Amino acid sequence: MSLRDDIIRLAQELEQEQSAAFQLWSWLPSCKAAERAHGDYASEHQPSLADIMREASMFISHGLKPTPQQIEEAGNYYKCPCGECGES
C-alpha cells in the first residue's frame, strides 16, 4: 500500500466513526437539549466521541429513563453541549 492509499483509508475510517458517533448521539439527552436550544444547528454542537460514549454509558445504566437525581448526578452530560445556553 502506498501512503496515498493509507490516507484515503484513514479518511474513510474517520468518516465512518463520525457517522456512527452522530447516530449514537442522536438518541441521547444532550442531543435532544441541543435540538431544543439550537434547532437545525444542533449538530454543530456535537460533543467529542469520548463524551458521547460516557453519556451513552450513563444513559443506558440509568435504564434509558434517568430520574431527576440521576440527571443531577450526570452533571453536564445530559445538557446541551454548547456550554452557553444552559438548556437541559
Side-chain angles (χ1 to χ4, degrees), residues 34-86:
E35 288 171 347
R36 284 191 304 273
H38 303 286
D40 292 340
Y41 298 98
S43 63
E44 293 179 10
H45 303 285
Q46 180 178 327
S48 69
L49 179 57
D51 284 343
I52 291 171
M53 296 297 291
R54 286 183 192 104
E55 182 181 359
S57 296
M58 275 191 279
F59 193 55
I60 291 167
S61 73
H62 293 156
L64 307 178
K65 285 197 163 244
T67 66
Q69 181 181 357
Q70 290 170 326
I71 292 170
E72 180 75 26
E73 291 170 357
N76 289 329
Y77 282 109
Y78 291 166
K79 297 178 181 173
C80 179
C82 78
E84 297 172 5
C85 67

Side-chain angles (χ1 to χ4, degrees), residues 20-29 31-32 35 52:
F22 180 79
Q23 289 175 9
L24 175 59
W25 184 57
S26 69
W27 62 270
L28 295 175
C31 182
K32 303 305 181 210
E35 288 171 347
I52 291 171

